[in-house]
Amino acid sequence: MATAGTGTRKAQGERTHAAILESAVHIASAEGLEGLTIGRLAAELEMSKSGLFAHFGSKEELQLATIDAARSIFIRDVMRPAMEVPAGIARLWKLCDTWLGHVEAEVFRGGCFFAAVAAEFDSRPGPVRDRIADIMKEWLGMLRLTIAEAQEAGHLASTADPEQMAFEFNALELGANWSMQLHGYSQAFTRARDAILQRLQTCATTKGASLLPRGNKLAAKKRLKRIKGKPCAGDP
Amino acid sequence: MATAGTGTRKAQGERTHAAILESAVHIASAEGLEGLTIGRLAAELEMSKSGLFAHFGSKEELQLATIDAARSIFIRDVMRPAMEVPAGIARLWKLCDTWLGHVEAEVFRGGCFFAAVAAEFDSRPGPVRDRIADIMKEWLGMLRLTIAEAQEAGHLASTADPEQMAFEFNALELGANWSMQLHGYSQAFTRARDAILQRLQTCATTKGASLLPRGNKLAAKKRLKRIKGKPCAGDP
DNA sequence: CCTACCGATCGGTAGG
DNA sequence: CCTACCGATCGGTAGG
């Protein structure tokens, strides 16, 4: 698909479209996809309601487009950087650490975009809810796959359960976001990192443990005391 | 404070007030405290908007009263039952297990009332947000205290960090609620229980471990393999 | 507790 | 991309 020249009417339309979605993602992360009203968005962008409306055709289409824009940012800022690290426990740690860093850096005003909109739409059936659920399944699948790869690489004990670990890591990430947003508890990110790192160290093989970061004080202390060959926490 | 007779006008007013709040808690857990509109609530109770409105004086007062009603239910259904168990690791497990059971039983249509409204209001400063945050601090404080008591009773290693554990257990509980609400993933509650029980067993003293439930297959298997005297996961 | 209203804002449309 | 609308619904009020 050819890109239109920067001076054409079409190119201008695409710039406006992109500017709308950038504002929309920020508003929706803080005020929800219903709080994202067309009038408010138009005011922020200094254009008329109907002018903005013409880009989407319905509020639902605007919501879906906003969700996809947030997904693209998440892939670019969290998933892609992890993919540049070799598969295994290092990539797994990178994925969790970057996710927490992404929320910690307040890329979106309301913290984690998907935590916010999932809570908002979990009781509202329809295409918007379905799209959010699909993206969250995609994320959990990616996390589970990354855990399974670390296991196949011999970095995690063969008895570890990737589904269980993915559930726990996702919960810790949601919990950190929740604490930060509600209480401004910025330590939450350290708490979540400590919990994840601890869980990884408990399950790691000797080879796997050597690939985990050394900076963490807790981590270093723990590793010294680690008892090899004990069962992995949470195994079936 | 004397209670009015059941036939008096005041008593009727109190019954109506209570009926409004019961509906309000259910609606708000599913559709949020903004989705809780006065018109919708009045329709559900088959009364006029203004008749209902007269009970509260403003939407904000209705929201605050709804939050306090949900808090009372939480205290009655989760905190009080745990208080009937002796302080220590047994009470701690009871508190976590009952919390998960409360959400699992879908006492409220939208799952955990406070998870829903906290996410909704975390970006909206004001008395409503402050009240939600205070109640969540109260809950986290209760959880942390219960952990500290288990430690003082010699059921948990003295090196355990109650603040860290409270953060993790709260996250697992929020994560279970989130998975259930968004994906209908009913296994989430078992996942959360397994994670919490595993964490408790890792940190428990021999005495503490003997007070944990025996029913769990994972738990029983784990306990056999447990290596005594190793450091507690997540210790500082 | 009611009927009858109010101004503001919502998503959306007509017509250009 | 605009102005000028529409019906519906919101929180809230007057007056009883």
Side-chain angles (χ1 to χ4, degrees):
Chain A
M1 204 166 69
T3 316
T6 53
T8 67
R9 202 166 298 179
K10 186 178 169 190
Q12 179 55 40
E14 284 168 4
R15 272 197 297 274
T16 302
H17 196 90
I20 292 170
L21 289 176
E22 190 178 329
S23 278
V25 169
H26 283 86
I27 293 174
S29 78
E31 296 167 46
L33 285 165
E34 288 299 330
L36 177 70
T37 69
I38 295 166
R40 191 192 184 306
L41 191 51
E44 189 156 311
L45 290 156
E46 293 181 301
M47 54 190 291
S48 70
K49 264 175 57 179
S50 66
L52 189 150
F53 191 83
H55 281 273
F56 302 96
S58 74
K59 169 129 190 196
E60 191 171 282
E61 287 301 323
L62 168 63
Q63 291 173 327
L64 290 168
T66 302
I67 290 166
D68 283 346
R71 174 175 172 276
S72 295
I73 294 170
F74 188 78
I75 289 172
R76 188 193 66 201
D77 290 359
V78 179
M79 294 205 187
R80 215 197 44 194
M83 284 306 168
E84 287 167 5
V85 172
I89 201 169
R91 177 182 289 175
L92 174 56
W93 170 247
K94 177 75 174 173
L95 190 62
C96 295
D97 186 43
T98 306
W99 194 99
L100 287 163
H102 176 77
V103 178
E104 198 171 11
E106 301 196 67
V107 174
F108 301 137
R109 277 201 285 130
C112 179
F113 178 91
F114 288 103
V117 302
E120 184 183 9
F121 273 83
D122 62 16
S123 297
R124 303 186 199 190
V128 174
R129 186 211 136 104
D130 293 347
R131 185 79 184 112
I132 295 165
D134 285 348
I135 292 172
M136 291 296 91
K137 278 192 178 158
E138 181 186 32
W139 157 245
L140 283 167
M142 165 83 169
L143 189 54
R144 196 176 51 236
L145 174 68
T146 306
I147 294 165
E149 282 172 351
Q151 197 171 30
E152 285 155 23
H155 299 165
L156 288 178
S158 59
T159 47
D161 178 354
E163 176 96 7
Q164 176 73 22
M165 280 182 86
F167 171 82
E168 292 179 24
F169 291 178
N170 186 60
L172 289 163
E173 288 160 335
L174 289 173
N177 180 66
W178 187 87
S179 292
M180 182 62 192
Q181 293 303 310
L182 188 63
H183 298 119
Y185 184 66
S186 53
Q187 272 188 67
F189 299 103
T190 302
R191 297 256 174 230
R193 283 192 177 91
D194 284 355
I196 291 170
L197 215 41
Q198 174 57 43
R199 185 77 162 85
L200 287 175
Q201 281 159 349
T202 305
C203 284
T205 58
T206 307
K207 186 178 167 191
S210 72
L211 295 166
L212 252 15
R214 310 248 151 204
N216 190 299
K217 278 183 297 179
L218 302 184
K221 191 173 165 189
K222 266 320 151 28
R223 207 156 25 238
L224 288 173
K225 296 193 189 174
R226 241 180 117 260
I227 294 159
K228 280 154 198 157
K230 74 178 156 57
C232 175
D235 292 347
Chain B
M1 204 165 70
T3 316
T6 53
T8 66
R9 201 168 296 177
K10 188 178 169 188
Q12 179 56 39
E14 283 169 5
R15 272 197 297 275
T16 302
H17 197 90
I20 293 169
L21 289 177
E22 190 177 328
S23 278
V25 170
H26 284 86
I27 293 175
S29 78
E31 296 167 46
L33 285 165
E34 287 300 330
L36 176 71
T37 68
I38 295 166
R40 191 190 184 307
L41 191 51
E44 189 155 309
L45 291 155
E46 292 182 302
M47 55 190 292
S48 70
K49 264 176 56 178
S50 65
L52 189 149
F53 191 81
H55 281 272
F56 302 96
S58 74
K59 169 132 191 194
E60 190 170 282
E61 287 301 322
L62 168 63
Q63 291 172 328
L64 290 168
T66 303
I67 290 166
D68 283 346
R71 174 175 171 276
S72 295
I73 295 171
F74 188 78
I75 289 171
R76 189 192 65 202
D77 290 359
V78 179
M79 293 204 189
R80 216 197 44 194
M83 283 308 166
E84 287 167 5
V85 173
I89 202 169
R91 177 183 289 175
L92 174 57
W93 170 246
K94 176 76 173 172
L95 190 62
C96 294
D97 185 43
T98 306
W99 193 99
L100 288 163
H102 176 75
V103 178
E104 198 172 10
E106 300 196 65
V107 174
F108 301 138
R109 277 202 285 128
C112 178
F113 178 91
F114 288 103
V117 302
E120 185 183 9
F121 273 83
D122 62 15
S123 296
R124 301 186 199 191
V128 175
R129 186 211 137 103
D130 292 347
R131 185 78 184 114
I132 295 165
D134 285 348
I135 292 172
M136 291 295 91
K137 277 190 178 159
E138 181 186 30
W139 157 247
L140 283 167
M142 165 84 168
L143 188 55
R144 196 176 52 235
L145 175 68
T146 306
I147 295 165
E149 282 171 350
Q151 197 171 31
E152 284 156 23
H155 299 165
L156 289 176
S158 59
T159 48
D161 177 354
E163 175 94 9
Q164 176 72 23
M165 280 181 87
F167 171 82
E168 292 179 24
F169 291 179
N170 186 60
L172 289 162
E173 288 160 337
L174 289 173
N177 180 66
W178 186 88
S179 291
M180 181 62 192
Q181 293 303 311
L182 188 64
H183 299 120
Y185 184 65
S186 53
Q187 272 188 69
F189 299 102
T190 302
R191 297 258 175 229
R193 283 192 177 90
D194 284 354
I196 291 170
L197 215 41
Q198 173 58 44
R199 185 77 163 84
L200 287 176
Q201 280 158 350
T202 305
C203 284
T205 58
T206 307
K207 185 178 167 192
S210 71
L211 295 166
L212 252 15
R214 311 247 151 207
N216 189 299
K217 278 182 299 180
L218 302 185
K221 191 171 164 189
K222 265 324 149 28
R223 207 156 23 239
L224 289 172
K225 296 192 189 176
R226 238 177 120 262
I227 294 159
K228 281 154 199 157
K230 75 178 156 53
C232 174
D235 292 346

